[in-house]
Amino acid sequence: MALTEVSFEHRGATDSAARTPPGASTTPPKRRKKEAPLRSRLLVFAFFVPLLLAFGLFSWWPIVQSLLLSLQQTNFITTDWVGLENFQRVLADPLLQTAVLNTVAFTLLALLIGFPVPLLLAVFLGELRKLRGPASVLAYVPVIIPPVVAVLLWKSLYQPGPGGVFNSFLGLVGIGPFAWLNDANLALPAIVVQATWASFGTATIIYLAALLAVPPELYEAAEIDGAGVLQRVWHVTLPQLRPVILVLLLLQLVGTVQIFTEPYVMTGGGPENRTMSILMLIYRYAFVNGDFGKATSLSLMLAIALGILSALFLLSTRRWSRA
């Protein structure tokens, strides 16, 4: 059989050589093989050029402009170079410490309340069969409500006095009334609850999609081994969702540090600056005081802090995410 194949190949080569005119070169096929990848690379690069130009114009160029703006004292009519003076004035502002502490407190509360809720809800939805679709839609409804509308809705629910919605329900069991957004101790937790309600739908859908991709054989094997519901969640579900959990945790961490809309609309930073966040301070520098250099300096400091925080998070969870 091998001899037959060799004889056919030899015969084909002989026929090909016989059809090739004397003196003809075999170089053109080799040249076509080299030119084809180069043409493909040029075509791919041509497709990427508009994307790179658009990304550079709308993403990288503003970053460069912000670097320059942080070194200037400007009202966009007259500009003076002041070097690092803007950074020094930001660090000397006593309100910066308040904003940082409020942002850290909001982030910790948001992670404490907002991180387990979507995960537990996704596990619950995963156990549903016929009602999983409608329940998923209901869980996602808060996300499609415009943020300002959602904040104004919750602001009306937090109305102080016995006539407020929450105070009315609590009054049925003899609790309250509370001032909610006007109370220095309750304003920040009230904002955290609203922000968690507005954003948990997206994380729930992502967790649910990852949960449904877990091979059912793992659960069947766990059931055969006598594992209960909690043991299946702990030993099967959570390890399978580990990469998704880490990514969403990082995104939630970065998103909560940049909280702005909720405190701006609900409390305006009050009472007594107890809900003043870093982004609200940036807004006050730029659009209340007209100090754009100072606002840009604080923005760069926040971006650097978030970059360092993200790098530390990725380094600290790298081994866990690969396990």
Side-chain angles (χ1 to χ4, degrees):
M1 187 65 182
L3 291 175
T4 306
E5 292 176 353
V6 169
S7 64
F8 276 122
E9 292 177 357
H10 177 70
R11 187 185 304 169
T14 306
D15 294 342
S16 176
R19 287 195 298 268
T20 303
S25 175
T26 58
T27 304
K30 293 181 178 179
R31 185 176 301 169
R32 283 197 296 271
K33 289 181 180 178
K34 292 181 179 178
E35 289 176 352
L38 178 60
R39 191 180 301 118
S40 299
R41 286 196 294 268
L42 291 176
L43 186 61
V44 171
F45 181 74
F47 275 109
F48 270 102
V49 166
L51 175 64
L52 292 175
L53 290 177
F55 195 75
L57 180 62
F58 295 106
S59 295
W60 295 333
W61 181 243
I63 295 176
V64 175
Q65 289 287 88
S66 64
L67 289 173
L68 298 177
L69 195 59
S70 67
L71 304 176
Q72 300 172 349
Q73 182 69 38
T74 179
N75 56 6
F76 296 114
I77 299 176
T78 60
T79 300
D80 297 322
W81 289 91
V82 295
L84 299 177
E85 183 181 337
N86 288 327
F87 293 92
Q88 295 173 349
R89 291 193 297 126
V90 169
L91 294 176
D93 188 352
L95 197 55
L96 176 65
Q97 181 180 358
T98 302
V100 171
L101 292 177
N102 290 338
T103 303
V104 171
F106 178 86
T107 302
L108 294 177
L109 280 175
L111 292 178
L112 183 65
I113 298 175
F115 177 69
V117 170
L119 184 58
L120 295 176
L121 185 58
V123 173
F124 173 73
L125 293 178
E127 296 296 328
L128 298 178
R129 301 299 179 187
K130 296 181 180 179
L131 297 178
R132 182 185 299 159
S136 301
V137 172
L138 291 177
Y140 196 72
V141 164
V143 180
I144 64 177
I145 299 177
V148 175
V149 176
V151 172
L152 291 175
L153 173 64
W154 275 77
K155 188 176 182 180
S156 66
L157 300 178
Y158 280 133
Q159 285 296 321
V165 175
F166 288 149
N167 283 334
S168 299
F169 284 106
L170 293 176
L172 297 176
V173 292
I175 301 176
F178 298 104
W180 299 113
L181 302 177
N182 296 327
D183 189 320
N185 296 320
L186 294 179
L188 193 62
I191 293 176
V192 170
V193 172
Q194 190 281 328
T196 301
W197 172 85
S199 61
F200 80 95
T202 301
T204 301
I205 296 302
I206 295 175
Y207 281 135
L208 181 61
L211 193 61
L212 296 179
V214 176
E217 294 82 6
L218 297 178
Y219 292 105
E220 294 172 0
E223 290 179 0
I224 293 174
D225 291 339
V229 175
L230 295 179
Q231 290 175 318
R232 291 200 300 270
V233 171
W234 182 257
H235 293 289
V236 178
T237 303
L238 293 181
Q240 293 296 317
L241 297 183
R242 189 179 299 161
V244 179
I245 292 174
L246 292 177
V247 171
L248 288 181
L249 183 59
L250 177 59
L251 294 178
Q252 188 176 4
L253 182 65
V254 174
T256 52
V257 171
Q258 302 182 64
I259 185 70
F260 173 76
T261 304
E262 289 81 0
Y264 177 75
V265 176
M266 298 179 85
T267 62
E272 302 172 359
N273 292 325
R274 296 294 293 270
T275 58
M276 172 68 67
S277 65
I278 296 178
L279 256 62
M280 284 198 64
L281 188 57
I282 294 173
Y283 175 85
R284 178 176 293 188
Y285 286 159
F287 301 105
V288 177
N289 302 335
D291 196 342
F292 296 99
K294 199 173 175 181
T296 310
S297 301
L298 182 53
S299 301
L300 287 176
M301 294 166 67
L302 178 61
I304 293 172
L306 284 177
I308 295 174
L309 187 64
S310 302
L312 292 176
F313 179 86
L314 293 175
L315 286 175
S316 61
T317 59
R318 181 173 55 182
R319 179 178 299 177
W320 192 44
S321 62
R322 292 177 179 176

